[in-house]
Amino acid sequence: MEGPAAPKRSHRLTREALRDGFVHEMIARSGINLPVLSDAERHASLQATLATQPAPGDVWLFGYGSLIWNPAFHHVEQKPVLIRGWHREFCLSTPIGRGTPEAPGLVLGLDRGGSCRGVAFRIARAEAEAELELVWRREMVTGAYVPRWVRLHGPDLPEDTFGIAFTINRKAPNYVRSASEADTARVIATACGALGSCRDYLFDTIHGLEGFGIHDHHLNRIARQVRVHRS
């Protein structure tokens, strides 16, 4: 079912799987030669990000895709927010998670320009390093993303509230320039990998956003074309 009443799916990226190195094992089993960050590089990236937190206190994390419907980290609050200067786009080719080397899939990144509505998660500062370590094991695997602090805009947030967002690394080998919605839909309609189908990823993201009252017209147009391809 791919409508508003679609059942909640189980996901392979659980806390336990992330803690046990599931993502790295998945890449190793694939036999694909992908550049993977070492534990030391990943740890250094997390520490460098926390060291530049604009203000002390709890840590906010901005979710725009799968973090919304499968966060897999502990948080004390979540709310819809807006960020400016970045937009949600299917700009990352994936030959493993949601695709194969023969038929790569597409997943979301934050690319430059525009704005994006998503969900901000507040993580207690005392737990931030441990919880973000799980997030880094999930997002900072191949260096396809650049973590950075972005200003969060919301009706009940102080003006100078910042959160971590995983923006796309345009120098990454699997970064792809924005394609037409029709071309994107053709890929999403058929691509499938170790973590499931691109189609499920798209609809889970749409449903997750709608749960917070967010309607992404770009994603909805792609979804309509995906349904046509699947019919």
Side-chain angles (χ1 to χ4, degrees):
M1 183 183 301
E2 295 174 342
K8 184 175 177 60
R9 277 181 271 271
S10 60
H11 304 291
R12 300 191 69 183
L13 289 181
T14 62
R15 288 180 60 84
E16 294 73 19
L18 291 168
R19 184 192 59 211
D20 295 341
F22 169 79
V23 176
H24 283 75
E25 290 178 6
M26 179 179 68
I27 293 173
R29 287 196 303 268
S30 74
I32 300 173
N33 185 24
L34 285 178
V36 176
L37 297 183
S38 67
D39 290 345
E41 289 171 326
R42 192 179 63 247
H43 181 73
S45 169
L46 172 56
Q47 292 302 313
T49 302
L50 289 175
T52 57
Q53 184 177 3
D58 293 348
V59 177
W60 288 92
L61 179 66
F62 180 71
Y64 55 88
S66 63
L67 288 178
I68 296 173
W69 41 267
N70 181 33
F73 59 88
H74 292 154
H75 52 281
V76 295
E77 185 181 4
Q78 56 187 16
K79 59 179 60 182
V81 298
L82 170 74
I83 67 170
R84 296 192 174 100
W86 303 90
H87 67 281
R88 181 173 27 239
E89 190 64 72
F90 278 100
C91 58
L92 187 63
S93 176
T94 171
I96 301 175
R98 297 282 173 172
T100 64
E102 297 75 24
L106 288 168
V107 292
L108 292 165
L110 284 177
D111 211 346
R112 289 192 177 277
S115 62
C116 180
R117 294 191 179 278
V119 178
F121 299 88
R122 182 167 63 87
I123 304 171
R125 188 62 183 87
E127 301 177 356
E129 188 166 343
E131 293 305 312
L132 288 172
E133 170 64 24
L134 294 175
V135 178
W136 252 249
R137 285 175 174 265
R138 168 180 176 166
E139 305 294 338
M140 295 299 292
V141 180
T142 64
Y145 294 115
V146 178
R148 67 179 75 233
W149 294 95
V150 298
R151 192 185 300 272
L152 306 177
H153 301 272
D156 55 349
L157 281 176
E159 183 177 347
D160 290 330
T161 301
F162 288 82
I164 299 170
F166 290 99
T167 63
I168 197 68
N169 177 7
R170 286 188 169 187
K171 296 181 180 179
N174 49 340
Y175 168 70
V176 293
R177 293 284 179 179
S178 176
S180 70
E181 291 177 349
D183 287 342
T184 299
R186 277 192 288 272
V187 173
I188 291 174
T190 57
C192 188
L195 295 180
S197 70
C198 276
R199 184 180 68 257
D200 286 348
Y201 175 92
L202 168 65
F203 284 102
D204 283 342
T205 300
I206 290 172
H207 296 148
L209 288 167
E210 288 177 345
F212 288 89
I214 301 169
H215 301 278
D216 187 307
H217 300 299
H218 175 53
L219 295 190
N220 287 333
R221 288 192 299 268
I222 292 173
R224 285 194 291 270
Q225 296 188 57
V226 167
R227 291 188 183 98
V228 171
H229 281 288
R230 299 292 297 182
S231 62

